[in-house]
Amino acid sequence: MAGILVWFWNERFWLPHNVTWADLKSTEESTFPQAEDLYLAIPLAFCIFCIRLLFERFIAKPCALALKIQASGPQKAQYNAILEKVFTSITKHPDEKRLDGLSKQLDWDVRNIQRWFRQRRNQEKPSTLTRFCESMWKFTFNLYIFTYGVRYLKKTPWLWNTRQCWYNYPYQQLTPDLHYYYVVELSFYWSLMFSQFTDIKRKDFGIMFLHHLGTISLITFSYVNNMVRVGTLVMGLHDMADVLLEAAKMANYSKCQKLCDLLFALFALVFLIARLGVFPLWILNTTLFESWEIVGPYPSWWVFNLLLLLLQSLHLFWSYLIIKIACKAICKCKVSKDDRSDIESSSDEDDSVSWTKHSQNPSSNGTSSNGMNGYLMGAAVSEEH
């Protein structure tokens, strides 16, 4: 084990040439990031998860009920032992051959059996109340951490001149505000990693798992080798769109159609500008070119930039979804079912309800949460750095 630790913490991998771990040891005069500082993130993630449970129960739920958001889920399917056995043990999506067999066995019309399976699948979907509470928690935390990040970054020189991220690197001291910012962000994403297995199941579970894992890796990696200055820029840039994302979803659940449309448009605009414009031209430019010029490359530098490029590939994926749904909305004057719906992966086209814009049909004002909400979640980076 000692040999593995020595190999893992090899100075020639983590640090620039002629820099050792002893050079970055914290003293009374100067404080540098220490890998053991990040151990605090795990218990803090558990605390954040507990705070979330209390928040959703005592704050988000009363707010949802005040907005007259229904706590009841979809209509339950009438119990049938044979169909239930097929649903739980064989398939949730019976093919035509199996439908014909069940029709003869039960003396039911095929359409009635299809309707039963559709209702049974819908039965497993979370209620709008549950979705609202989840979004309100993420909105509240993202708003808090984004506000904190803006207040902190506006006082730093590297916000205005990214070359400051690399001057005197890696001998850049760690301030209490910077340490707090990093540990809280890391703890939040650890809590999302844990809660992803208990939250609403979505089609892109694997993509979001990869996103959370990549975010945690980036935060941890940049902290250990003291790339925290550019790390704060990455975190602040990504938190911006996450606030609008969750706000739009809350408006959708609350059936505030016009507000949801406005927030969605703002979210899409901010997301595309930040992730396809600012991130590559500002962040990647400084990590790839300015750092090369001032510090020079070394092994962990390559890994760090590889993680950032992976993050940019996720930006491209979600931007594709945004542009695709926006084009559909413009062409059809409605927001239709998204390719990565907010519902569980077992749902199909029978389960979706198109979400017509208020201007087209006032009676459908916000009645479907699947289309817009699923689309919006596809662009989260809430998660999302």
Side-chain angles (χ1 to χ4, degrees):
M1 179 61 68
I4 293 176
L5 290 176
V6 170
W7 169 81
F8 182 80
W9 294 111
N10 189 306
E11 294 168 338
R12 297 286 59 81
F13 171 79
W14 288 97
L15 304 174
H17 186 61
N18 292 331
V19 180
T20 67
W21 291 119
D23 297 331
L24 298 178
K25 202 68 177 177
S26 295
T27 63
E28 293 182 359
E29 294 78 20
S30 57
T31 303
F32 300 106
Q34 306 296 310
E36 53 266 25
D37 296 344
L38 299 180
Y39 293 149
L40 178 62
I42 301 300
L44 187 56
F46 178 74
C47 292
I48 290 176
F49 182 72
C50 293
I51 293 172
R52 171 186 174 172
L53 296 179
L54 295 173
F55 178 90
E56 290 185 354
R57 180 171 181 178
F58 296 107
I59 299 179
K61 186 175 180 179
C63 289
L65 295 177
L67 293 170
K68 298 181 180 180
I69 296 177
Q70 296 182 356
S72 59
Q75 179 182 0
K76 293 186 177 181
Q78 179 183 0
Y79 180 77
N80 183 286
I82 296 176
L83 296 181
E84 185 69 25
K85 184 177 181 180
V86 173
F87 183 88
T88 56
S89 304
I90 302 176
T91 178
K92 297 180 180 181
H93 299 268
D95 55 21
E96 184 177 349
K97 182 178 180 180
R98 190 175 298 277
L99 287 172
D100 290 337
L102 290 171
S103 176
K104 295 176 182 178
Q105 184 177 359
L106 297 173
D107 195 23
W108 282 23
D109 185 73
V110 170
R111 293 184 60 84
N112 290 335
I113 298 177
Q114 289 176 325
R115 184 180 299 110
W116 187 95
F117 274 93
R118 181 170 62 251
Q119 291 179 347
R120 184 63 180 84
R121 288 192 297 269
N122 291 340
Q123 188 176 316
E124 296 187 341
K125 300 176 188 176
S127 66
T128 304
L129 177 66
T130 301
R131 298 178 182 184
F132 179 90
C133 291
E134 179 182 321
S135 290
M136 187 172 180
W137 160 250
K138 292 180 179 179
F139 167 80
T140 303
F141 182 89
N142 286 327
L143 180 61
Y144 163 73
I145 201 64
F146 174 67
T147 304
Y148 180 89
V150 170
R151 292 180 60 188
Y152 170 74
L153 285 170
K154 71 180 182 179
K155 299 180 294 184
T156 63
W158 59 87
L159 175 65
W160 316 106
N161 179 12
T162 54
R163 297 178 71 88
Q164 292 285 342
C165 293
W166 312 108
Y167 291 149
N168 197 36
Y169 176 84
Y171 305 106
Q172 299 166 342
Q173 295 199 31
L174 179 71
T175 64
D177 290 344
L178 180 52
H179 176 260
Y180 174 82
Y181 190 19
Y182 247 75
V183 171
V184 172
E185 281 272 16
L186 180 61
S187 302
F188 177 66
Y189 278 97
W190 269 120
S191 72
L192 288 183
M193 178 72 85
F194 301 148
S195 63
Q196 190 178 15
F197 296 94
T198 59
D199 284 345
I200 299 167
K201 297 297 185 297
R202 297 180 172 92
K203 282 185 177 181
D204 67 342
F205 177 89
I207 294 293
M208 291 306 298
F209 183 85
L210 179 63
H211 171 265
H212 296 332
L213 184 62
T215 302
I216 290 171
S217 300
L218 265 172
I219 295 176
T220 302
F221 206 90
S222 61
Y223 188 88
V224 170
N225 64 4
N226 203 15
M227 290 185 178
V228 290
R229 290 188 176 184
V230 72
T232 58
L233 299 180
V234 175
M235 292 189 298
L237 181 66
H238 285 72
D239 289 335
M240 186 190 314
D242 293 345
V243 175
L244 294 170
L245 166 70
E246 301 302 337
K249 291 167 60 180
M250 290 166 58
N252 181 40
Y253 299 140
S254 304
K255 300 181 181 180
C256 300
Q257 186 71 54
K258 291 183 178 179
L259 178 60
C260 180
D261 291 344
L262 175 62
L263 290 171
F264 168 73
L266 289 174
F267 160 72
L269 182 65
V270 169
F271 187 95
L272 293 174
I273 292 175
R275 309 297 172 91
L276 299 186
V278 179
F279 185 81
L281 297 178
W282 190 44
I283 301 297
L284 293 181
N285 175 66
T286 191
T287 59
L288 286 170
F289 303 111
E290 292 179 348
S291 64
W292 183 295
E293 177 186 344
I294 299 171
V295 180
Y298 53 97
S300 68
W301 178 93
W302 290 102
V303 175
F304 181 68
N305 279 284
L306 181 62
L307 289 172
L308 289 176
L309 291 172
L310 173 62
L311 185 60
Q312 181 62 18
S313 67
L314 292 176
H315 293 168
L316 293 171
F317 170 74
W318 283 313
S319 297
Y320 163 74
L321 294 181
I322 290 177
I323 295 172
K324 182 179 179 181
I325 203 74
C327 290
K328 287 183 179 179
I330 293 173
C331 295
K332 301 180 180 180
C333 295
K334 65 180 180 180
V335 178
S336 60
K337 181 178 179 288
D338 173 33
D339 289 337
R340 49 91 55 225
S341 176
D342 192 31
I343 58 182
E344 70 281 358
S345 59
S346 63
S347 62
D348 58 10
E349 65 275 10
D350 292 331
D351 301 330
S352 65
V353 181
S354 63
W355 183 51
T356 307
K357 294 178 77 70
H358 180 70
S359 59
Q360 292 293 106
N361 185 1
S363 65
S364 66
N365 182 18
T367 55
S368 170
S369 63
N370 293 344
M372 172 63 96
N373 177 55
Y375 167 66
L376 290 174
M377 274 305 298
V381 64
S382 101
E383 294 74 277
E384 89 171 67
H385 292 211

